[in-house]
Amino acid sequence: MPDLSFIFDAGVVALRVLLPVYAIVIVYQCYAAMRRRRRTEKPLVTLCNMKTGSVIPILFWENSIGRSKGSDVVVSDLAVSRNHCVLLRRKEGWFITDVGSTGGTFVNGVPIEGRAQVLINDVITIGSTDFEFRRGEEFQAPLKSSWFFQKVSNKPAIKAWKLMLMVTLFHFFMAVEAMYWNDGTNPQSPLILFGALAAVEWGFFCVSYFALRRVNFELEALALFLTGIGVMILVRQVERSAYIQLIAAAVGMVMFCVIIKLIEDPDKISRFRFPMMIVAVGLLLTSILFGKITKGAANWIYIGSFSFQPSELVKIIYIFIGAGTLDKLQTKKSLIEFIIFSMICVGLLALMGDFGTALIFFVTFLLIAFMRSGDIKTIILAVAAAAFGVTFVLRFKPYVADRFKAWRHVWEYAQAEGYQQTHVLTFIASGGLFGVGVGNGFLKQVAASESDLVFGLVAEEMGIIVAITIALSVALLVIYSRAITTRSRSTFYSISAGCAAGLLVVQLSLNIFGATDILPLTGVTFPFISCGGSSIMSVWGLIAFIKAADERTYSIKR
């Protein structure tokens, strides 16, 4: 009987070379499919200036009108306020809302209060300018109009089930590698874990595609790809944690579906802003009062053997509160409320010692504040206040200063504050391009290798190519979000999607750069990959905002 061990050994070596290439192909296919099946951007309606005869195409569901250059429709009329009114589309039709202008907004000569419906051929008066509200089909685009002649790919996107099959095979290959590096435990455990992972993945696919009738599955496939890597990398480290991670991911998938359903009508969400503020502050106060201090931060709540991180849930609530429909956002009262709420959140996180999460919240605040107001002065003031806060923290929180002391000098503190980073750098180098094999790494013996240092663990066991690929797959969500938000039905979707992607990228950067000594180590997780039930549920909730912003999400056509 021929010896098959040599063939198996050669196959495992081939897998180590294949997986990096396969990972690149999967990520490419996900993003390539996201760019396809786009509609040509034609005007929904038009505004005809009754004095000059010029016609302005309206492309979006929500449009700011005013004298400000940042408005969607710029009206060069001194009687018009910088932010004068908002024209928006809803299921019931088109509406216009005055946002505190000096001269008011009129429809057919009648001043409006709150939202007023606008019908075809109605006359909208803004300042001393009259616009006739017309159908979009009547608009004749200029021959060289760049937005009208956008190129749309006719090449069909990859079938959802094929993409899912590619993702599942990748996780299967990881299981095969982990079986090869048997550490004395059950040699079949990687396959058993893979079976459970595949059941969750395909169960979610069936619910999404057949029950919810989603026409696209690329974003979910990307999230499943990353989640599966995070689960399978644990199989030879802490197997029980792998199953807990998988269960938490399944809960996150349910949360993903629920959030999309909740925000189908962004107008309804605004009614719950104040109760959600109370819940968010209550969760953070709970951490301060009852949280267990771990590495200087009281951010974990323990109930028996169960533990969770309230600040992870607050990330989702924070975006709910920060986003909103355009007619609600363009008021000073709304912005001031959000600034006060943000100060409370960041302050409570600083009190509990979770400065990594506080930094994530602060950067997310900057993104939301700028997207809401476009006011650079607000951003400058916020950054100045943050600089003062950092000085205050370094003065009264010595252990934070210790992290800065080791920053960029970890080799001088290799047996103290720089212990973790030096091991990460060492084992990344030992992993090389293709890694030493899933389950065959040594970084897993270092504390927090499965969470704070997981980038190093992936780089060691699967190679730097895979590690960089999965990092880019998260980072590129910003570009994808930017592309889809121009076609979103509401600024709620635009702001929530952009800020959810921004939050994930900031978190990703702090994790990778902290572990590799480019930035101080902050103890935040790598989205989807790091071990942590609260974290994996949070990131699934966050990508729901990105999914909801995609115009195809609510279509039932195949």
Side-chain angles (χ1 to χ4, degrees):
M1 183 175 179
D3 183 10
L4 298 180
S5 62
F6 173 76
I7 298 176
F8 186 66
D9 293 346
V12 171
V13 172
L15 276 182
R16 289 169 56 190
V17 178
L18 171 66
L19 284 181
V21 178
Y22 197 12
I24 294 172
V25 170
I26 289 174
V27 173
Y28 169 78
Q29 286 293 346
C30 287
Y31 278 102
M34 288 178 191
R35 291 179 56 84
R36 298 167 189 158
R37 293 180 179 173
R38 296 292 182 193
R39 63 173 171 83
T40 303
E41 289 207 6
K42 296 181 180 180
L44 302 171
V45 290
T46 61
L47 293 176
C48 177
N49 190 314
M50 298 182 69
K51 181 181 293 186
T52 65
S54 61
V55 179
I56 302 172
I58 302 299
L59 304 177
F60 312 118
W61 284 60
E62 295 182 354
N63 307 267
S64 59
I65 302 176
R67 193 160 40 86
S68 170
K69 293 182 179 180
S71 299
D72 297 311
V73 178
V74 179
V75 183
S76 300
D77 182 343
L78 294 178
V80 175
S81 300
R82 289 181 56 81
N83 296 310
H84 196 102
C85 60
V86 171
L87 179 67
L88 64 159
R89 176 183 177 182
R90 290 295 181 262
K91 290 181 180 179
E92 300 82 8
W94 284 88
F95 297 84
I96 193 164
T97 305
D98 190 273
V99 290
S101 66
T102 303
T105 304
F106 301 77
V107 175
N108 297 326
V110 179
I112 65 172
E113 293 183 7
R115 283 187 183 177
Q117 190 163 21
V118 186
L119 303 176
I120 298 300
N121 298 326
D122 279 353
V123 176
I124 301 171
T125 302
I126 304 168
S128 59
T129 305
D130 294 328
F131 291 101
E132 185 178 7
F133 190 70
R134 294 181 178 179
R135 301 182 189 277
E137 292 85 350
E138 300 176 11
F139 179 70
Q140 297 296 322
L143 291 177
K144 295 184 180 180
S145 176
S146 59
W147 64 265
F148 190 80
F149 291 101
Q150 285 187 13
K151 293 182 179 179
V152 179
S153 175
N154 293 321
K155 186 178 180 181
I158 186 172
K159 295 288 185 181
W161 68 267
K162 291 182 179 179
L163 193 56
M164 272 299 302
L165 185 60
M166 292 174 65
V167 170
T168 304
L169 283 175
F170 186 93
H171 297 150
F172 172 73
F173 292 149
M174 288 185 68
V176 171
E177 266 203 57
M179 285 179 61
Y180 181 79
W181 303 109
N182 184 16
D183 57 0
T185 58
N186 181 7
Q188 305 301 322
S189 59
L191 278 184
I192 296 172
L193 177 61
F194 164 75
L197 173 63
V200 170
E201 290 176 343
W202 284 93
F204 177 57
F205 170 77
C206 291
V207 169
S208 180
Y209 198 71
F210 296 107
L212 302 178
R213 298 182 66 80
R214 304 292 186 213
V215 298
N216 57 319
F217 198 74
E218 305 92 9
L219 182 63
E220 295 94 320
L222 181 67
L224 288 173
F225 170 66
L226 297 171
T227 299
I229 292 176
V231 169
M232 294 305 302
I233 206 78
L234 291 169
V235 68
R236 290 299 187 203
Q237 187 167 6
V238 186
E239 188 177 346
R240 179 176 177 272
S241 296
Y243 284 100
I244 294 174
Q245 183 83 344
L246 181 57
I247 293 170
V251 174
M253 294 170 201
V254 174
M255 186 185 300
F256 171 88
C257 297
V258 170
I259 290 175
I260 291 176
K261 184 65 178 177
L262 284 175
I263 59 180
E264 280 186 349
D265 185 354
D267 289 330
K268 291 182 179 179
I269 294 298
S270 61
R271 303 172 191 170
F272 300 100
R273 290 181 76 246
F274 188 70
M276 285 193 290
M277 286 183 186
I278 296 174
V279 170
V281 173
L283 286 170
L284 295 178
L285 284 173
T286 301
S287 293
I288 292 176
L289 296 174
F290 305 106
K292 181 180 178 181
I293 298 178
T294 305
K295 298 179 181 179
N299 53 359
W300 285 96
I301 300 294
Y302 286 83
I303 304 174
S305 59
F306 175 74
S307 64
F308 69 100
Q309 219 172 342
S311 59
E312 293 292 339
L313 180 59
V314 175
K315 290 177 183 177
I316 298 173
I317 298 176
Y318 188 76
I319 291 180
F320 266 116
I321 295 169
T325 57
L326 191 59
D327 57 335
K328 302 295 183 183
L329 295 182
Q330 288 198 340
T331 61
K332 290 184 178 180
K333 178 183 176 183
S334 177
L335 182 59
I336 290 171
E337 286 178 353
F338 179 64
I339 291 174
I340 293 172
F341 172 69
S342 301
M343 290 173 63
I344 293 172
C345 286
V346 174
L348 291 175
L349 286 166
L351 281 176
M352 71 176 69
D354 193 354
F355 295 103
T357 305
L359 179 58
I360 292 172
F361 271 69
F362 175 70
V363 175
T364 306
F365 161 75
L366 295 181
L367 289 171
I368 294 177
F370 184 73
M371 292 181 73
R372 288 178 61 143
S373 66
D375 186 4
I376 196 66
K377 291 182 291 185
T378 303
I379 308 303
I380 293 173
L381 287 173
V383 171
F388 173 78
V390 168
T391 304
F392 182 84
V393 166
L394 293 178
R395 174 69 177 82
F396 294 99
K397 296 287 185 177
Y399 80 94
V400 177
D402 287 342
R403 290 186 176 183
F404 279 92
K405 180 179 67 175
W407 176 40
R408 306 300 297 162
H409 300 281
V410 292
W411 294 104
E412 299 172 23
Y413 300 91
Q415 297 303 317
E417 290 87 356
Y419 181 83
Q420 290 174 304
Q421 294 98 316
T422 53
H423 280 73
V424 166
L425 295 171
T426 300
F427 291 123
I428 286 177
S430 67
L433 293 177
F434 306 109
V436 298
V438 176
N440 192 39
F442 290 94
L443 186 61
K444 61 187 178 184
Q445 299 173 9
V446 177
S449 61
E450 77 287 359
S451 54
D452 300 353
L453 313 179
V454 75
F455 176 78
L457 182 65
V458 173
E460 180 193 14
E461 296 194 353
M462 304 186 71
I464 194 64
I465 296 176
V466 171
I468 292 176
T469 299
I470 62 176
L472 285 175
S473 69
V474 177
L476 288 172
L477 286 174
V478 169
I479 297 175
Y480 171 62
S481 297
R482 174 65 183 84
I484 62 176
T485 52
T486 59
R487 288 176 283 265
S488 293
R489 304 185 303 165
S490 169
T491 50
F492 177 88
Y493 297 122
S494 300
I495 292 177
S496 61
C499 292
L503 188 155
L504 290 173
V505 171
V506 172
Q507 184 170 322
L508 170 80
S509 302
L510 291 176
N511 178 275
I512 295 176
F513 297 150
T516 53
D517 196 33
I518 297 174
L519 292 174
L521 187 63
T522 54
V524 299
T525 55
F526 191 124
F528 297 103
I529 306 295
S530 288
C531 179
S534 302
S535 175
I536 193 68
M537 287 189 284
S538 171
V539 293
W540 271 96
L542 289 171
I543 65 166
F545 292 110
I546 303 175
K547 177 72 175 181
D550 193 327
E551 61 178 351
R552 303 170 295 167
T553 299
Y554 304 100
S555 173
I556 60 173
K557 295 180 180 180
R558 296 296 175 91

